[in-house]
Amino acid sequence: MPLTLRFLGTSASRPTVERGVSSIALVREGETLLFDCGEGTQRQMMRYGVSFSFADVFFSHFHTDHYLGIIGLLRTMALQGRTDVLRCWGPQGAVRFLRKCETLGADRLTFPLEVKELDPGDSVRRRDYAMHAVLAEHRGATALSWALVEDTRRGRFNPDRARASGIPEGPMWGLIHRGEPVVLSDGRTVRPEELVGPSRPGRRVVITGDTRPCESTRLAATNADLLVHESTFGDEESQRALETGHSTAREAAQLAHEAGARRLVLTHLSARYTRDVSELESQARSVFAPTTIARDGMEIDVPFIDAGADTQDSADANGTEHA
Ligand SMILES: [Zn+2]
Ligand SMILES: [Zn+2]
């Protein structure tokens, strides 16, 4: 079950020749989620092969470098005759900003546009994951970060042991894998823990909007498989980061380290770092080695922590429900 992030825009405040402004597409099990939609996002989507047939945009806040692109995107979708609902999620103020974008983008949309405002602590529940709204600290702006947290997966089913125990392949395997004891024809009871390993954690991906390093991000990113954190400035502008409600590369790395994240990707770079990111990279890596500086078009794969531990995933009972 692949989970990948495609960075569509990685520049802070304004686009540069090399970088567009904020947007990330996350693709998980064929579902695409968009995070922020800066100016030019739709063209970046075309360039990097991100489908327009997605249903959700999660906005961090309503500074122009994070949402102006939705105007053109709505217009294109209307021109294409889209009929599926588009859901936009954001902090308080989302309705006001996005309804204005709606009237600018098209005379009449061909599809329903839903806008939902969330507060920190709220979450959007989906079949096998939840999207949590996380408090961000951004110079007084109402701003959120987002944490995608997958549900715990069932333990691995051991087909060899099942056969050895004389349990016929079939519906019983599925029952046991789902945690139910079964009674065999000879009267024996087989309990799930005999054939199913411990449940396995899902993945956790945290994507900040513009923010100072803060406790809420640290909590959300605890043991995260991937933290994407803004990193507008380097060490030499740490005072400016403080004043403008942004983070330095080193501060983001320190937070990733404290949270015990497995990997950090830095984005939202000030224009002065648009070409040469070596400074930012070395400042961050001196604190947290598994740091990558994002660039437009970059794709990041987020594997399961236990991926490759064994190959029994394909042997899930009945081969039906892959946990
Ligand atoms: Zn910004
Ligand atoms: Zn901002």
Side-chain angles (χ1 to χ4, degrees), residues 13 61 65-66 210 246 268:
S13 304
H61 65 305
D65 56 323
H66 294 260
D210 293 2
H246 290 290
H268 196 271

Side-chain angles (χ1 to χ4, degrees), residues 111-166:
F111 56 94
L113 176 71
E114 285 180 11
V115 183
K116 296 248 169 66
E117 296 182 341
L118 298 183
D119 292 314
D122 289 347
S123 45
V124 181
R125 180 71 219 166
R126 291 283 160 83
R127 188 174 62 87
D128 55 359
Y129 69 89
M131 185 71 74
H132 300 284
V134 177
L135 179 70
E137 288 179 22
H138 185 43
R139 202 174 29 131
T142 311
L144 296 173
S145 298
W146 298 101
L148 186 155
V149 181
E150 292 181 335
D151 294 351
T152 301
R153 294 167 298 148
R154 276 187 238 148
R156 293 181 197 280
F157 182 83
N158 189 326
D160 295 336
R161 201 180 294 167
R163 284 190 202 98
S165 309

Side-chain angles (χ1 to χ4, degrees), residues 267-278:
T267 186
H268 196 271
L269 314 181
S270 164
R272 62 179 291 177
Y273 309 105
T274 199
R275 285 199 189 88
D276 182 7
V277 299
S278 56

